[in-house]
Amino acid sequence: MTTHTARTTGTVAGAAGTAGPADGERLRRWRLVLGGDGAESTGHALTGRDAAMDGALTALYGGGRSGDRGRSGRSAGLGASAPSVARWLGDIRTYFPSSVVQVMQRDAIDRLGLSALLLEPEMLEAVEADVHLVGTLLSLNKAMPETTKETARAVVRKVVEDLEKRLATRTRATLTGALDRSARISRPRHHDIDWDRTIRANLKNYLPEYGTVVPERLIGYGRADRSVKKDVILCIDQSGSMAASVVYASVFGAVLASMRTLRTRLVVFDTAVVDLTDQLDDPVDVLFGTQLGGGTDINRALAYCQSQITRPADTVVVLISDLYEGGIRDEMLKRVAAMKASGVQFVTLLALSDEGAPAYDREHAAALGALGAPAFACTPDLFPEVMAAAIGKQPLPVPDREPDR
């Protein structure tokens, strides 16, 4: 997002609700969009709330349009102290909706180098928490002073709990249905009959004169509903570019681990491999057990995952990575081929986030696709369907559009 575009987004959102065709209103909006350097061209002065809103935007994006800042001599700046930034964060939360606040926070961290200030408790208490902020905090985890860690955990926990509320119910319902279908039996006892599927399977046997369906073939649920039916291994690339994916995967890992019919393992990797399965009851612990950044050795991670497989035909391995391999490429592909040959359902997600198309290694993605393991980006809302298809050994719901570079 350019400076001008970001400023426009904030201005339009902040000015929402003040509509009108009058020239004065149009000049007001243009003045807010252009910033201080555009005041002379519009001839419109800002007062009150508009002036305060403009000040918050100017502190981040500077006084003029993108490309004008160097000529005007005005530049963005929030000062060097956490209190001044905390005040600014409070201001933008007053003037703009949450979605715009999150964009402005990310821009402040990227443009003005404010990551270090996130190590101070008063800063963390002022921010609007979202997935991207969690990623930034995780990348700073090792440098974080003890006085800040509890505040950081509280921020991360709030985001995680919000994500669980959004994702857990639908994920459990979707996967429970897939697991039940995988356990259907054709000669069920009376109380095990799935009447909905039985009726639909026997509609051709409908007798209109009697107003009934003759159930020539009964379909039932499996009896061992409480037994472990599938093993799931989430193998997550924790390189810096995968921050949002790590957050979502940790939440999904906790949700899957809460289902008794799934045995879930969560593995994170860079050039080393760490098994965080014993922390899956709390995704916040999982997240603080990761270490964003560093290199990537997918082959080593898959070697570990392969060693944990005991029931290949009932195992789903989900590799979440941009596929920029720093290890042995040919060995990585051989491992994937071997797992698939043994009956493992192998899924490759280039990203698990709302961000859309990621950057990824296209050569490796094509090679995996040739092995029958298509690589594609996945939104959190689509993930339950992807897992349900993998569990049921059905074609994966690969998005029609290939991710862009």
Side-chain angles (χ1 to χ4, degrees):
M1 177 181 289
T2 66
T3 298
H4 182 57
T5 303
R7 185 177 180 109
T8 302
T9 302
T11 300
V12 171
T18 318
D23 289 343
E25 175 60 20
R26 287 198 295 270
L27 289 173
R28 168 186 171 270
R29 294 194 179 203
W30 273 113
R31 169 60 182 80
L32 283 167
V33 169
L34 294 172
D37 294 342
E40 293 183 2
S41 61
T42 63
H44 187 93
L46 299 176
T47 60
R49 182 184 176 90
D50 286 347
M53 186 189 304
D54 184 66
L57 290 164
T58 299
L60 176 56
Y61 299 116
R65 294 167 292 178
S66 177
D68 288 346
R69 192 174 60 183
R71 293 193 297 272
S72 70
R74 299 186 61 178
S75 62
L78 295 174
S81 68
S84 66
V85 178
R87 285 193 295 273
W88 177 79
L89 287 166
D91 287 344
I92 64 175
R93 291 171 75 172
T94 299
Y95 303 130
F96 306 106
S98 176
S99 59
V100 176
V101 169
Q102 292 172 7
V103 172
M104 294 177 73
Q105 284 179 172
R106 292 201 296 272
D107 286 349
I109 292 169
D110 294 339
R111 290 169 53 80
L112 304 179
L114 299 184
S115 296
L117 290 180
L118 292 177
L119 303 180
E120 302 189 29
E122 59 266 38
M123 256 291 273
L124 288 177
E125 290 169 357
V127 294
E128 185 83 20
D130 68 347
V131 169
H132 300 281
L133 178 65
V134 170
T136 301
L137 291 177
L138 295 179
S139 68
L140 298 171
N141 182 28
K142 302 305 178 184
M144 196 174 291
E146 291 299 324
T147 54
T148 306
K149 285 191 174 180
E150 285 307 310
T151 306
R153 287 184 70 90
V155 170
V156 172
R157 187 168 297 283
K158 179 181 183 302
V159 174
V160 166
E161 288 176 351
D162 289 346
L163 291 177
E164 283 187 304
K165 288 177 185 177
R166 167 188 159 192
L167 301 170
T169 300
R170 181 163 168 266
T171 300
R172 291 192 185 101
T174 301
L175 297 190
T176 297
L179 289 163
D180 284 346
R181 287 190 295 274
S182 71
R184 309 251 179 220
I185 53 179
S186 59
R187 299 179 61 185
R189 299 181 183 183
H190 179 77
H191 57 274
D192 290 331
I193 296 173
D194 181 343
W195 286 108
D196 181 63
R197 284 177 59 87
T198 294
I199 290 171
R200 283 190 281 123
N202 289 277
L203 286 176
K204 63 181 180 180
N205 299 321
Y206 177 67
L207 301 178
E209 62 270 27
Y210 295 103
T212 189
V213 171
V214 177
E216 186 177 70
R217 181 168 67 93
L218 299 178
I219 300 174
Y221 300 104
R223 295 296 305 276
D225 286 342
R226 296 180 181 177
S227 63
V228 174
K229 297 175 182 175
K230 296 287 183 179
D231 295 337
V232 175
I233 301 177
L234 299 178
C235 186
I236 309 167
D237 182 344
Q238 62 176 351
S239 58
S241 60
M242 302 296 293
S245 298
V246 171
V247 176
Y248 280 115
S250 298
V251 172
F252 276 119
V255 173
L256 298 181
S258 71
M259 300 179 65
R260 290 178 298 179
T261 49
L262 294 176
R263 183 185 293 115
T264 304
R265 183 173 295 277
L266 189 143
V267 177
V268 298
F269 68 93
D270 42 33
T271 53
V273 180
V274 181
D275 192 326
L276 297 176
T277 302
D278 59 350
Q279 299 178 38
L280 271 175
D281 58 330
D282 187 346
V284 176
D285 285 341
V286 170
L287 288 170
F288 277 94
T290 64
Q291 184 173 344
L292 293 177
T296 308
D297 192 337
I298 303 172
N299 178 56
R300 174 177 290 185
L302 292 182
Y304 177 80
C305 294
Q306 194 175 20
S307 72
Q308 302 301 306
I309 296 172
T310 57
R311 305 187 305 160
D314 293 313
T315 298
V316 177
V317 174
V318 183
L319 172 65
I320 304 174
S321 173
D322 55 17
L323 300 179
Y324 287 112
E325 171 66 316
I328 306 173
R329 173 187 184 274
D330 291 343
E331 287 297 316
M332 175 190 77
L333 296 175
K334 286 179 181 178
R335 290 190 191 282
V336 175
M339 282 188 271
K340 286 189 62 63
S342 68
V344 171
Q345 296 297 108
F346 194 93
V347 179
T348 308
L349 301 181
L350 301 168
L352 177 56
S353 71
D354 292 305
E355 297 307 295
Y360 66 100
D361 189 307
R362 292 175 177 268
E363 183 179 350
H364 289 166
L368 288 171
L371 295 175
F376 57 97
C378 176
T379 64
D381 289 337
L382 181 62
F383 185 74
E385 280 70 30
V386 171
M387 290 301 301
I391 285 171
K393 299 185 178 181
Q394 301 296 316
L396 300 178
V398 180
D400 292 335
R401 185 176 178 181
E402 182 187 11
D404 298 323
R405 200 176 285 275

